[in-house]
Amino acid sequence: MSSDPILKVEDVQVSFPVGGLGRRSAILGVAGVSFEVNRGETFALVGESGSGKTTLARAVNGLQEISAGAITFENQRIDELDRKAMKPVRKRMSMMFQDPVGSLSPRMTVGDLVTEPFRIHGIEGRNLREEADRLLTLVGLPTSFVSRFPHQLSGGQARRVGVARAIALDPALIIADEPTAGLDVSVQGEVLNLLNDLRERLGLAMVIITHNLHVVHHVADRTAVMYLGRFVEAGDTEQVFSAPQHPYTAALLSANPEPDPDKTHDRITLPAEVPSLLARPSGCEFHTRCPWAQSRCSVDAPERQVANGRAVACHFPLEPGARPPELAEKAAS
Ligand code: SF4
């Protein structure tokens, strides 16, 4: 894998106006996020619903204006481009949206759907039937599917059609938003294997967005965990999974453990709801839910500590195998 970044996101913020007449203010949906994605690499953005990951992905793809920071793709600054200038960029950076069936137009055949990107971008001189056959074969669907309609597809097949659309124009980067949402566990694995296989065969870079950490365990090279629009932990996926350093990462992992009959899992229950972006907690913004919180945490915001390619924003990073104080006490009694 080359270490040449294809995508560079630097201190990006996305703000949304709130309030009525005379009381207008703004909330930060993405509050200063930086990361790079290398060619041929899969980078995962993980967090609960409302953590800002989809907003960040839309900002990268030019669908959401940023209020600060810079986004560079294939050595071109793209955050300042207008809609027209973004069009060629979207050929090289395609986006797979959530909801496999709902994102496909119900009146178009599979053949028309997978070749629609050629029409949208005014690419002529291609035999669209041949292109449809090529794309369906690449995503593991029979070419006879060209005449089917979306309602005749299973969730997994619809997702494969979405993947075929995403790779139609030979992109360098795919951003996949919840690529396995709504699919059975066995089908989730098939879709992830397909994405991984295409990444290798076509030399793609990929950003996968999901609320479920385990979706990315075996396909992402690096993983970043988002909370209230910030990265709280980022690093090599294997390291993040085997020894999470941020309590929020540990809680996400424990909430959805990988099936393993030889292991028992401590479930870390997070108290309280996700705070509103309108009222961000003081100090460490996770302190209202953190089982490890200490008095310093509510007044003092942690700096990002970076070591050996890992970054964590916590005053008291977890040691491997750490248990929340409540569970450790229970085990000792
Ligand atoms: Fe928890 Fe404190 Fe670390 Fe925040 S800084 S994650 S509250 S231990």
Side-chain angles (χ1 to χ4, degrees), residues 246-247 284 286-287 290 292-293 297 302 314-316:
H246 195 282
C284 171
F286 188 56
H287 86 263
C290 180
W292 282 272
C297 302
C314 174
H315 294 306
F316 311 105

Side-chain angles (χ1 to χ4, degrees), residues 1 39-43 193-206 218-221:
M1 188 190 306
R39 290 180 194 277
E41 180 184 42
T42 299
F43 184 82
N193 286 341
L194 171 67
L195 288 174
N196 209 25
D197 179 48
L198 290 173
R199 178 180 65 85
E200 280 175 12
R201 284 167 68 185
L202 307 178
L204 295 166
M206 221 171 267
H218 301 291
V219 291
D221 300 291

